């Protein structure tokens, strides 16, 4: 089996790219891919470690894109994740993916903007306090809410979101991320294979709505779908396999390993129930050869 969805300390995991390769070797995996959030910084070391260890180690990325579920109309914080795989990793690929820095910059600026708004509203709270509380995790609004709770500005995290941080509340700052077509297009133009990550996490209940969503992404250049994922039940796997057949998509899968930041998720097997067949990696590599 293989694992085509992992995060290193270059995004929000805790292992280095080299450690992931070594763990994959020790776990007996037949291939592994690195898919850090909105950054490709770990790929060069990852690919080199794979070559040294004699293990297929595929360069990749996971890009956050905006998503509004038409069933709920929930705009703002809805996210869709698009995985990108780059078998021909080179400095040209790195250059082509430079626009990812925009997503990272926007994310880095968002939390300080929220803190500034809270201060304008008279709440004495600093970004340092929030960062300390978040420890080495990626800072998010739940950490801001926790500091507000600790300092007695609110009586619960829910109140922090209702009165200050939630959408339409006074300290709300919208996320600035890519539209799905831009994320898919960026990967395709950089010579990669774009794959819809963990479709179940989109929260779509209707098969027709998901099908329309996939159809639209295919128009932009989507070439794969993450069929195997730890929270995908048998019925989901069947549904996603059918979509893959209908739209001629590569089927992929992976654990979403984050090291100690998601301690229950193990490389390869995730919660113990994941088995991603070698064929997924073979399909992915074959697809790239065709598109080049
Ligand atoms: Zn994801
Ligand atoms: Zn992920």
């Amino acid at each position: 089996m293989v694992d085509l969805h992992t995060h290193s300390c270059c995004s929000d995991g805790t292992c280095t790219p080299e450690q992931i390769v070594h763990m994959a070797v020790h776990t007996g995996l037949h291939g592994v891919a690195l898919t850090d959030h909105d950054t490709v910084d770990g790929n060069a070391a990852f690919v080199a470690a794979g070559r040294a260890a004699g293990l297929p180690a595929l360069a990749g990325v996971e890009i956050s894109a905006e998503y509004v579920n038409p069933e709920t109309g929930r705009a703002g914080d809805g996210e869709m994740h698009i995985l990108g795989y780059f078998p021909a990793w080179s400095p040209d690929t790195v250059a082509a993916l430079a626009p990812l820095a925009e997503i990272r910059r926007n994310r880095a600026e968002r939390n300080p903007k929220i803190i500034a708004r809270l201060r304008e509203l008279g709440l004495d709270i600093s970004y340092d306090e929030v960062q300390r509380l978040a420890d080495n995790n990626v800072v998010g609004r739940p950490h801001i809410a926790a500091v507000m709770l600790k300092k007695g500005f609110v009586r619960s995290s829910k109140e922090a979101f209702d009165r200050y941080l939630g959408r339409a509340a006074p300290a709300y700052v919208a996320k600035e991320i890519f539209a799905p077509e831009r994320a898919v297009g960026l990967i395709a133009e950089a010579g990669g294979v774009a794959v819809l990550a963990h479709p179940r996490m989109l929260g779509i209940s209707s098969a027709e709505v998901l099908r329309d969503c996939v159809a639209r992404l295919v128009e932009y250049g989507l070439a794969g779908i993450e069929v195997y994922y730890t929270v995908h039940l048998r019925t989901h796997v069947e549904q996603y396999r059918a979509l893959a057949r209908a739209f001629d998509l590569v089927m992929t899968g992976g654990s979403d390993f984050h090291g100690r930041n998601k301690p229950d998720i193990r490389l390869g097997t995730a919660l113990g129930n994941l088995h991603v067949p070698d064929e997924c990696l073979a399909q992915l590599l074959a697809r790239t050869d065709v598109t080049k």
Side-chain angles (χ1 to χ4, degrees):
M1 55 188 246
V2 295
D3 189 340
L4 303 175
H5 190 156
T6 72
H7 297 273
S8 77
C9 54
C10 295
S11 68
D12 54 345
T14 56
C15 298
T16 64
E18 292 91 338
Q19 282 170 334
I20 294 176
V21 168
H22 293 142
M23 287 172 73
V25 170
H26 287 290
T27 315
L29 295 181
H30 293 163
V32 64
L34 181 68
T35 53
D36 277 320
H37 291 287
D38 309 312
T39 179
V40 293
D41 287 353
N43 278 329
F46 186 75
V47 169
R51 208 165 283 150
L55 180 80
L58 187 57
V61 71
E62 181 171 25
I63 303 181
S64 310
E66 302 161 353
Y67 177 67
V68 180
N69 183 339
E71 293 175 327
T72 61
R74 186 175 56 100
D77 281 340
E79 271 192 28
M80 167 186 281
H81 290 173
I82 305 289
L83 294 158
Y85 296 99
F86 307 92
W89 189 249
S90 77
D92 288 347
T93 326
V94 181
L97 293 170
L100 291 177
E102 213 180 294
I103 302 179
R104 297 197 299 275
R105 196 168 48 240
N106 288 336
R107 192 176 44 215
E109 286 171 359
R110 186 184 187 217
N111 292 313
K113 275 186 198 164
I114 294 172
I115 303 289
R117 293 220 182 147
L118 289 172
R119 294 183 66 86
E120 280 166 27
L121 293 166
L123 275 64
D124 179 24
I125 176 169
S126 75
Y127 191 57
D128 274 359
E129 291 172 293
V130 178
Q131 257 180 328
R132 261 200 308 279
L133 187 127
D135 203 8
N136 62 359
N137 290 306
V138 176
V139 174
R141 285 181 299 166
H143 301 115
I144 299 175
V147 172
M148 291 166 75
L149 183 63
K150 204 171 100 184
K151 299 187 91 172
F153 298 135
V154 290
R155 277 156 301 175
S156 69
S157 178
K158 186 182 179 302
E159 188 188 339
F161 274 84
D162 288 348
R163 284 181 55 197
Y164 297 101
L165 303 171
R167 206 151 47 86
Y172 180 74
V173 176
K175 274 188 184 174
E176 289 177 54
I177 49 179
F178 288 2
E181 58 265 45
R182 187 164 179 213
V184 170
L186 183 67
I187 292 164
E189 278 159 34
V193 180
V195 174
L196 175 63
H198 40 64
R200 192 186 175 189
M201 311 283 263
L202 292 172
I204 299 173
S205 54
S206 146
E208 288 72 43
V209 171
L210 180 62
R211 196 187 168 88
D212 288 351
C213 171
V214 169
R216 222 170 14 252
L217 293 171
V218 167
E219 280 174 34
Y220 307 142
L222 190 82
I225 182 165
E226 191 173 47
V227 170
Y228 307 102
Y229 192 78
T230 198
V231 297
H232 290 174
L233 308 176
R234 192 185 297 266
T235 51
H236 299 114
V237 170
E238 281 314 311
Q239 187 190 359
Y240 306 151
R241 288 176 70 97
L243 282 171
R245 281 191 293 269
F247 292 98
D248 188 26
L249 300 172
V250 170
M251 298 182 215
T252 72
S255 66
D256 218 346
F257 176 75
H258 279 73
R260 286 188 310 281
N261 282 342
K262 282 190 186 171
D264 296 341
I265 299 289
R266 271 166 306 172
L267 190 69
T269 53
L271 291 170
N273 60 347
L274 187 72
H275 183 104
V276 184
D278 290 8
E279 191 202 337
C280 291
L281 178 59
Q283 275 187 14
L284 203 49
L285 297 176
R287 183 60 62 106
T288 331
D289 289 344
V290 171
T291 52
K292 253 187 299 178

